[in-house]
Amino acid sequence: MAASRMVWGEPDPNLELAAEAGDVGAMKALGKHLHESPGGLEHAERWLLAAAEAGDREAMYHLSGIYWDLAVSRHPNGDADEARSADWCRRAARAGWPEAVRAMGRKSGISGDEREFWLRRAGEDGDPWAMTSLAELAEERKRPEDAEHWYRMAVAHGMSSVRTDLAYLLMGQGRLSEAEECVRPEAEAGSVRGARQLADVLEQLGRRQEASAWRETHEALRAREIEESVHQSWGAAPELATVAVTALVTTAVVPFVQGLVAKAAEDAYGQARSLVRRMLRGNGEPGPAAEAVEESTGEEEPGLLIADDAEAGITLFMWSNASDEALRALSSLDMDELAVRRPDQGRVRLVWHPATGRWRIRGE
């Protein structure tokens, strides 16, 4: 069993093998890795484009980033790449990828109405950043009731800092007591802006002694903020690409698939995925690659298992987070028949294709 993980700037050969075989997840993972590696931009475009054209929403979004980077690098001759960037971001957003929906909400070069459309989609999905942007847009368009609604929604979804924005809106309408009630929790939590604004509200309410005390608090908080910024470290290392765990396992594929199918029948596919994860780790023990994932992410990332049966001429590419649909479809394949057919010059490569909902047999 050969297990490996991505090294910054060096593509994982197992992942390349799976991508060449047509595995969409491998194409996406390889493209994302190359995008973050020195000199890998054009190679990343190849793999992300292939994954995006196969219907992967996340790949569409990252492909948009590739074309944006190309547009910047070719400035002032990057108009075509900038248009491609907007097009793929829009496709990803239409397909429902959350980051793409957010990106469309802040993208320049689109109409205000389209921008509001995407912000509303993100806001209605519970994105507090989009809610805040919708409130700001409503203020620009002189729609104070809408602005108040979205500010309050953002606060309810955990973005306490916008209490100050809501308080300014309320102050502008003469609703001073509501403004005080709104901003006080932020000021008492140690917000520099909140302390200053609470002082302003109290001043307008005629409570000058309280206002003076909060101005002193504001000055103290501001001085501490400046001091902390002076001591802040600016030399942090750049965040590297997410570790991708793969394992190339030499095994008899037909019995392995039969074992997966048997486990899938037992408990709605959970045990089948667990078996793949154990194969990645090696007899159930975390290997170096698995440990690297846990250290870098704090959680288990999907891994790619490549089960190769040289004698039968079958290679199976299986992700540890394979969907129920993929496992269900795998159980319906006649593996013995596949071993006889060998459509691709004597070798069968089984790759799950999410867009079509079927296992692609390389060479068909």
Side-chain angles (χ1 to χ4, degrees):
M1 171 176 173
S4 62
R5 65 186 179 92
M6 298 287 270
V7 178
W8 198 46
E10 298 178 13
D12 179 347
N14 291 343
L15 210 57
E16 287 187 296
L17 176 66
E20 292 285 0
D23 184 278
V24 177
M27 292 175 185
K28 176 176 65 180
L30 185 57
K32 288 170 63 179
H33 175 77
L34 290 169
H35 187 195
E36 298 178 27
S37 301
L41 202 59
E42 292 189 3
H43 293 296
E45 178 192 0
R46 170 197 172 190
W47 291 117
L48 286 171
L49 179 60
E53 289 179 339
D56 189 284
R57 303 177 302 166
E58 185 184 2
M60 294 177 191
Y61 174 66
H62 286 286
L63 182 63
S64 169
I66 290 279
Y67 286 127
W68 177 256
D69 289 348
L70 288 171
V72 171
S73 67
R74 292 169 180 169
H75 182 78
N77 302 310
D79 290 350
D81 291 313
E82 187 173 352
R84 291 189 190 98
S85 174
D87 179 57
W88 278 109
C89 190
R90 188 177 286 109
R91 291 194 201 187
R94 285 173 178 162
W97 188 249
E99 291 180 56
V101 175
R102 281 189 65 179
M104 289 303 296
R106 61 176 179 262
K107 186 168 286 295
S108 61
I110 64 174
S111 70
D113 287 343
E114 183 181 5
R115 181 168 178 263
E116 183 174 5
F117 168 79
W118 292 115
L119 285 173
R120 283 189 178 276
R121 273 193 55 173
E124 288 162 1
D125 286 340
D127 186 329
W129 175 88
M131 294 170 186
T132 303
S133 297
L134 281 165
E136 292 169 351
L137 188 62
E139 283 200 89
E140 291 173 13
R141 296 183 172 184
K142 310 300 182 187
R143 300 193 323 238
E145 290 184 2
D146 280 353
E148 181 178 346
H149 165 75
W150 287 112
Y151 278 138
R152 290 192 184 280
M153 288 291 290
V155 171
H157 281 76
M159 191 168 280
S160 181
S161 60
V162 302
R163 286 179 176 276
T164 55
D165 300 287
L166 176 56
Y168 274 121
L169 180 68
L170 296 172
M171 288 172 69
Q173 298 173 9
R175 298 157 66 184
L176 298 179
S177 295
E178 290 179 69
E180 178 193 355
E181 182 182 357
C182 177
V183 78
R184 184 176 285 278
E186 188 70 1
E188 292 176 345
S191 163
V192 175
R193 188 180 177 205
R196 184 186 63 190
Q197 190 175 359
L198 180 56
D200 290 343
V201 175
L202 292 169
E203 187 77 36
Q204 291 190 36
L205 284 168
R207 292 151 59 184
R208 291 182 175 79
Q209 188 173 353
E210 287 182 74
S212 178
W214 275 106
R215 290 198 195 286
E216 289 179 10
T217 300
H218 167 257
E219 291 300 327
L221 290 170
R222 178 61 180 148
R224 183 169 54 182
E225 182 180 67
I226 293 171
E227 183 180 356
E228 289 174 353
S229 69
V230 169
H231 292 92
Q232 183 177 355
S233 171
W234 299 100
E239 183 178 344
L240 301 185
T242 301
V243 175
V245 178
T246 66
L248 177 59
V249 182
T250 301
T251 185
V253 168
V254 173
F256 173 68
V257 170
Q258 290 171 344
L260 278 177
V261 170
K263 289 186 177 298
E266 291 173 16
D267 75 338
Y269 312 105
Q271 288 195 38
R273 282 185 282 267
S274 179
L275 175 59
V276 174
R277 288 194 293 270
R278 290 200 301 274
M279 294 286 285
L280 278 165
R281 291 173 173 176
N283 298 321
E285 295 297 326
E291 289 171 1
V293 166
E294 290 164 3
E295 289 175 7
S296 63
T297 67
E299 59 185 23
E300 185 169 7
E301 292 285 336
L304 175 63
L305 179 69
I306 305 172
D308 183 62
D309 187 339
E311 184 176 344
I314 301 175
T315 304
L316 171 70
F317 298 85
M318 171 76 74
W319 286 86
S320 63
N321 63 345
S323 66
D324 290 357
E325 182 184 16
L327 292 167
R328 190 181 306 116
L330 185 64
S331 68
S332 67
L333 289 177
D334 188 332
M335 299 300 295
D336 293 322
E337 181 184 349
L338 285 177
V340 173
R341 287 167 59 191
R342 300 188 180 184
D344 191 9
Q345 290 81 47
R347 174 158 292 276
V348 173
R349 293 183 176 88
L350 287 174
V351 179
W352 176 246
H353 196 250
T356 60
R358 61 188 291 267
W359 286 90
R360 294 177 65 177
I361 304 168
R362 195 71 171 172
E364 278 191 334

